[in-house]
Amino acid sequence: MTRSIYRISGADRLSFLQGLITNDIARLDQGLVYAAVLTPQGKYLADFFLVPEEEAVLLDVDASIAAGLAQRLNMYKLRADVAIEETGLQVTRGTGDMPKGAFADPRHDAMGWRSYGESGGDDGTDFDAIRVAHCIPETSVELTPDTYILEAGFERLNGVDFRKGCYVGQEVTARMKHKTELRKGLARVGVSGEAPVGTEIKANGKAVGTIFTQSGTHGIAYLRFDRATESMQAGDTKVSYPVSTAG
């Protein structure tokens, strides 16, 4: 886990972020806010955590997409009273007792807590196993430039607010919300074997989706639900859907 932490300050910082992110900035009063920035076409650009800080907001983002996100935020800044600077802070994650000053991960209780300071790291928890168990996507693995956030489970993961008003990509996201049901999306699947991340899943000779993170006998896959079956293949790996909650 390599993260970059930015500090967003200035009198307009909250209104600036509110017009861009998928979640409601007012939730900072309750702790971490998980959110994304989208393209005008509603596709994923970046996901991140916003962290409350006195007179500022910290932005915790995967280092692989940090520079691009900072560039885009600066592009949108225009004349707003907003300053964006990299901090050098690091992230510590854990699932045991939450230390003083740490914040609960808002995506799922099982993801534990995050804290920010001069040093970082994990407490030894197998976070990939937790992500697979609860179908929680990861930046640049399950979350890519082709991702629509509702197909990635952002509503379930407390990453989107449908009452907050406009933001970039909001119209497309709202239309998807009001569909009867999603025809594609991330799902927890059973696996027998191991396939490289990104391997195509097939059933009856037809493309069904893609396998991503795997842990033990389960994995996260992007599926066309109308084609998904209990007997699929990702290379030499058997893939099944659905799997029971307890499975």
Side-chain angles (χ1 to χ4, degrees):
M1 179 194 69
T2 305
R3 308 288 292 185
S4 293
I5 313 298
Y6 291 86
R7 179 173 285 109
I8 302 175
S9 58
D12 297 333
R13 64 189 182 280
L14 298 181
S15 59
F16 166 71
L17 288 168
Q18 184 75 334
L20 294 175
I21 67 171
T22 58
N23 215 331
D24 189 347
I25 198 69
R27 293 186 181 186
L28 279 175
D29 290 344
Q30 303 163 32
L32 292 188
V33 173
Y34 181 57
V37 166
L38 309 179
T39 69
Q41 294 75 35
K43 289 194 172 184
Y44 167 92
L45 279 171
D47 67 310
F48 43 83
F49 298 93
L50 296 173
V51 188
E53 189 182 61
E54 190 173 350
E55 302 302 322
V57 178
L58 298 181
L59 187 149
D60 164 8
V61 62
D62 189 284
S64 68
I65 62 170
L69 175 60
Q71 182 180 29
R72 185 166 290 264
L73 292 178
N74 276 303
M75 178 184 74
Y76 281 125
K77 189 173 64 173
L78 301 176
R79 296 183 181 179
D81 181 3
V82 172
I84 302 168
E85 57 181 350
E86 197 163 3
T87 65
L89 293 172
Q90 297 187 50
V91 183
T92 300
R93 298 189 299 175
T95 54
D97 292 338
M98 189 163 65
K100 185 177 180 180
F103 299 90
D105 189 318
R107 294 173 296 176
H108 195 284
D109 290 344
M111 290 296 288
W113 49 264
R114 305 172 78 88
S115 66
Y116 301 87
E118 299 304 317
S119 60
D122 291 347
D123 67 349
T125 295
D126 186 345
F127 280 100
D128 275 351
I130 295 174
R131 290 199 307 103
V132 169
H134 300 287
C135 198
I136 300 171
E138 180 81 359
T139 307
S140 300
V141 183
E142 290 85 15
L143 296 173
T144 74
D146 289 325
T147 298
Y148 289 104
I149 60 167
L150 295 192
E151 293 182 345
F154 265 60
E155 185 173 10
R156 170 175 54 85
L157 300 172
N158 301 309
V160 59
D161 188 295
F162 292 101
R163 296 168 297 180
K164 58 157 283 185
C166 294
Y167 55 88
V168 178
Q170 181 265 343
E171 186 176 344
V172 174
T173 306
R175 283 204 305 267
M176 292 185 73
K177 163 69 174 173
H178 296 296
K179 282 185 175 181
T180 304
E181 60 182 333
L182 294 174
R183 294 180 295 174
K184 304 175 184 177
L186 294 180
R188 184 168 174 257
V189 296
V191 295
S192 177
E194 188 170 345
V197 169
T199 301
E200 185 178 55
I201 301 171
K202 291 187 175 182
N204 302 315
K206 293 183 177 181
V208 179
T210 307
I211 189 74
F212 293 109
T213 307
Q214 297 142 74
S215 179
T217 58
H218 294 91
I220 299 174
Y222 180 77
L223 297 176
R224 280 190 55 167
F225 297 123
D226 61 336
R227 292 185 179 179
T229 71
E230 294 182 358
S231 181
M232 302 180 288
Q233 292 286 139
D236 295 329
T237 298
K238 293 182 180 180
V239 179
S240 61
Y241 176 82
V243 292
S244 68
T245 303

